[in-house]
């Protein structure tokens, strides 16, 4: 066993059966949390959906329709599940951490814990950007297609509740997941899949990829595409800065540990 405390396991080796029992216990806590939050969220499904509909009302559309008997009810189910997933995510992530943490070295725990804490914060920031900026811009563009087509024919927007919910959730998830880019890149570098030099050399391709992703995930208006592409580019360069800083810090710690071992050996 190494004498370096940073390379020691906090837990002891456990049989496979104990791991399976622990996994079942963590899954039960996660499922129970999701079920309880779903019940509460379903009770407040209409007010929650009212918040999601607010950008549509701000864009001048004051009516949603449903064309199928169960459509309005299924929308409430989806809204409740969406809200329950958001609220219960920290608890589920904590259960996952409690399951894998005993098998990690102390140094690995210190390295991974900031990423775990940053994930919900970055996802929430992405959703906030989508809700307050991207969705209103997209709705303004899309609803602007109403009007006279000529020949006495007019087109009028009559969005259905199910379609609008899918539209909003697409934006929220797209922006939320996109904002996890720093966590993903720093974990890949930490695992040795990519290096800082590779990421730094590929920045031009990353900028092109950011605009391509924005073009796929957002409506074909330049405003909403820029609202996703520009933050993606900024997050990529922020990831490079974070990787450079953490790599420098790791090297300093390794040098200090080597000096300590050398001094102890003397």
């Amino acid at each position: 066993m190494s004498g370096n405390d940073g390379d020691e396991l906090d837990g002891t080796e456990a049989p496979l059966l104990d791991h399976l029992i622990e996994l079942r216990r963590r899954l039960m806590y996660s499922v129970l949390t999701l079920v309880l939050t779903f019940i509460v969220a379903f009770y407040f499904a209409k007010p929650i959906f009212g918040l999601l509909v607010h950008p549509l009302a701000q864009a001048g559309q004051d009516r949603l329709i449903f064309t199928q008997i169960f459509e309005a009810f299924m929308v409430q189910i989806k809204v409740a599940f969406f809200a329950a997933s958001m609220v219960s995510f920290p608890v589920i992530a904590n259960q996952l951490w409690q399951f894998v943490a005993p098998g990690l070295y102390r140094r690995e725990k210190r390295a991974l814990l900031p990423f775990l804490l940053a994930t919900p914060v970055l996802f929430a920031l992405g959703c906030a950007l989508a809700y307050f900026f991207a969705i209103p811009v997209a709705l303004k563009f899309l609803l602007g297609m109403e009007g006279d087509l000529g020949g006495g024919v007019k087109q009028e927007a009559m969005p259905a509740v199910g379609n609008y919910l899918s539209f909003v959730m697409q934006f929220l998830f797209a922006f939320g997941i996109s904002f996890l880019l720093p966590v993903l890149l720093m974990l890949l570098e930490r695992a040795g899949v990519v290096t800082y030099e590779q990421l730094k050399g590929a920045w031009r391709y990353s900028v092109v990829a950011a605009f391509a992703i924005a073009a796929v995930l957002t409506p074909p208006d330049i405003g909403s595409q820029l609202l996703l592409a520009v933050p993606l580019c900024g997050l990529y360069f922020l990831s490079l800065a974070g990787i450079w800083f953490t790599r420098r810090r790791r090297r300093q710690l390794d040098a200090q540990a080597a000096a300590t071992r050398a001094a102890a050996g003397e």
Side-chain angles (χ1 to χ4, degrees):
M1 173 105 27
S2 172
N4 186 1
D5 290 339
D7 292 334
E8 291 181 358
L9 287 169
D10 286 342
T12 57
E13 294 185 1
L16 177 61
L17 181 60
D18 291 345
H19 285 300
L20 293 177
I21 293 174
E22 179 67 11
L23 177 60
R24 184 184 66 175
R25 187 163 70 96
R26 299 299 175 187
L27 288 175
M28 287 179 60
Y29 285 153
S30 300
V31 171
L32 180 61
T33 301
L34 186 61
V35 170
L36 292 178
T37 52
F38 174 82
I39 293 173
V40 176
F42 184 76
Y43 180 80
F44 294 101
K46 284 188 176 181
I48 295 173
F49 190 50
L51 290 175
L52 298 178
V53 171
H54 182 69
L56 184 65
Q58 292 293 103
Q61 186 73 27
D62 62 352
R63 180 171 300 181
L64 285 171
I65 66 170
F66 61 94
T67 58
Q68 299 176 358
I69 298 298
F70 291 101
E71 185 176 6
F73 176 73
M74 292 305 299
V75 163
Q76 292 190 37
I77 294 288
K78 292 178 181 178
V79 168
F81 183 76
F82 174 73
S85 301
M86 297 297 102
V87 173
S88 60
F89 175 79
V91 177
I92 296 174
N94 180 65
Q95 292 301 316
L96 177 62
W97 174 254
Q98 293 295 329
F99 177 72
V100 301
L104 299 176
Y105 294 108
R106 293 178 184 176
R107 187 173 179 178
E108 292 173 336
K109 290 181 182 180
R110 290 195 297 266
L112 292 178
L113 188 57
F115 297 113
L116 181 66
L117 297 177
T119 297
V121 175
L122 290 173
F123 187 87
L125 287 176
C127 291
L129 179 64
Y131 181 82
F132 290 106
F133 297 101
I135 292 177
V137 170
L139 287 174
K140 183 177 180 180
F141 170 77
L142 296 173
L143 294 176
M145 295 183 179
E146 289 183 310
D148 193 351
L149 295 178
V153 179
K154 296 182 179 180
Q155 63 179 5
E156 180 181 0
M158 299 182 65
V161 289
N163 291 336
Y164 178 76
L165 179 63
S166 299
F167 169 81
V168 172
M169 291 177 65
Q170 176 186 348
F171 264 86
L172 294 178
F173 275 115
F175 277 73
I177 299 247
S178 297
F179 268 59
L180 298 182
L181 180 64
V183 173
L184 175 62
L185 291 181
M186 295 182 75
L187 285 177
L188 289 176
E189 189 274 338
R190 188 79 179 183
V193 178
V194 295
T195 65
Y196 171 78
E197 289 73 18
Q198 290 174 333
L199 293 174
K200 183 179 178 181
W203 71 269
R204 296 177 180 85
Y205 304 102
S206 301
V207 171
V208 174
F211 279 88
I213 293 172
V216 172
L217 296 180
T218 60
D221 67 288
I222 190 65
S224 56
Q225 291 178 4
L226 287 175
L227 282 172
L228 179 57
V230 172
L232 275 178
C233 295
L235 289 169
Y236 184 84
F237 291 109
L238 179 64
S239 303
L240 290 180
I243 291 172
W244 178 85
F245 178 79
T246 55
R247 188 177 68 165
R248 180 184 177 187
R249 180 62 177 167
R250 287 201 308 268
R251 288 177 176 176
Q252 290 176 348
L253 292 175
D254 291 339
Q256 292 175 1
T260 302
R261 288 194 296 268
E266 295 177 357

